[in-house]
Amino acid sequence: LHKEGRRATRRSLATSVPVTMAEGSDCDNIAVAAAPAPPAASAGSAAPASAYRTSKRWRLVVIGCGTSASTPKLQCVIRQRKSCLCNVPEYAQDPRDRRLNPSIVLSYQHVDASEPADTPCPSTAATAPTPAAPAADDVEDNDAPTADPSTWTNILVDCGKTFREAALRFFPEFGIRHIDEVLLTHYHMDAMGGLDDAREVQRLKNPVADIPSDSARTALVGAATLMGDDAALERLKAAWPKVPERPPPPGPRNMIPIRLFMDVRTTQVAQTSFPYLLRNPDMSRTAEGCCSRPRDLAAANRSHDPLKMLYIAQVQNVVLKPHTSFWIETLEITPIPLYHGPVISNGFAFRHKGADTQTVYFSDFRCVSSKPAAENERAPEIQRCDYDNLTMFVDRDAALQVLRRCRVEHMFLDALHATYRYASHSSLEETIATLLSLQRHGVDPDHTWLTGLCCDTRTIEVNDALATMFGSRDKVRCAHGGLNFLLAT
């Protein structure tokens, strides 16, 4: 269905949108003219067939696919490095090349039994402004789900330093109003540096009242009352006969805690980096089997801990077990440990209940020549890596068993640099070598998305080169912020 929708969109673009293509270029270089506004729908008319979509499915949204420093890199811009793509106008104008810390969101839409299976999508309403049509190479199924977003289950994979910017950029577009679960791949700041901002996206037990526009009057009346200044209080009340009531302050008592899924080492570092979030993590609470949420996750808020009264994120840690699957709603999640230089990073395999395909996310890895003996050991020799034996896996046999259990439809792979190699991240050439090795070992993804991209990777150029190598534009491509698709059911 996803592929048919892409083809239909391409046909629509070819017939209704004027396009101009640069000579000798590919689909990525299509310049699309502004599409004409659709005719207004008559009152009572049925929504077109394209305005409906099947409910109760998981949607994956990419909200970051850059490096820990993001792109464009700050040093390249402020130092005006002429040799860097960050200062090339064509690069700066392509929104796909503005990348934040690697992160994805998986959203599951709940639909009430009384509602029809298919519901109109508000993004196709005639009153909505018509955006510029996307390039045919990057058309995705980006119709926002239509059920009440407050009923969705949203899983965030990694909450890095740029999480706030990513949420401002993509959450409103895709109707994401809260985060229920967080999966952390490892303990670097590009994976967990934004945990403090999780308080802004926690699910609330009761809706928060809007702040009145004249809240300053309430504050001044309150100050005069506290100081016992009767003269000032009389003047204020004479000027403002009606003063709005003070709304209840935001606080943890109204928050439903977020569950943090992470391995033992990441839990220890998170406790050190965010002691006010994880004071006494429960290391016995492991992720295996059905990880349904307890009925009363807010019980911790009833304690007399002073920190529980502050406006900080409320979290509950869950320890990941390597290669041990667990379930959140209808999504089976399997952590796969990977070598990320001298540290361990977890990749994840996602599969909808009963589906014959899965989606794999490996955001931080590099094949190594020898297994690091300790965390503080020097990174393995950069030039000698065993790609054919897939030494990026901590346990290759167990990892391949997970990857071979069903067909891999989408796979995200780390590809930091296009020009040189790095000690803890796979470069573009190394990632392609790893992908070819995976194919020889019986893992051939339908679609491979490159993530963790630095500023020497220009989406248009790399996609053109990959299309030439693999003979298809859908086989291997660069990921970009806003990329989204539905997981197979």
Side-chain angles (χ1 to χ4, degrees), residues 384-400:
R384 300 197 309 269
C385 292
D386 192 353
Y387 309 109
D388 190 56
N389 289 321
L390 297 174
T391 53
M392 64 182 180
F393 295 121
V394 175
D395 187 339
R396 191 190 69 168
D397 294 338
L400 289 177

Side-chain angles (χ1 to χ4, degrees), residues 156 158-164 167 171 177-182 184 191-204 251 255-260 274 276-277 311-316:
L156 175 68
D158 280 345
C159 185
K161 299 177 294 182
T162 60
F163 168 70
R164 182 179 184 277
F171 280 22
R177 297 183 181 176
H178 61 267
I179 293 296
D180 298 286
E181 327 281 0
V182 175
L184 295 183
M192 70 174 192
L195 284 178
D196 187 70
D197 289 321
R199 61 183 178 177
E200 298 289 342
V201 294
Q202 293 204 232
R203 188 190 289 269
L204 303 178
M255 296 179 181
I256 298 179
I258 293 175
R259 290 190 300 179
L260 283 177
F274 302 95
Y276 54 94
L277 298 182
Y311 183 45
I312 59 177
Q314 303 298 298
V315 300
Q316 181 188 72

Side-chain angles (χ1 to χ4, degrees), residues 457-478:
T457 303
R458 187 180 176 191
T459 300
I460 288 179
E461 296 174 353
V462 174
N463 282 356
D464 285 344
L466 292 170
T468 302
M469 178 177 183
F470 290 93
S472 171
R473 298 198 67 83
D474 291 334
K475 187 63 177 176
V476 185
R477 280 182 288 174
C478 296

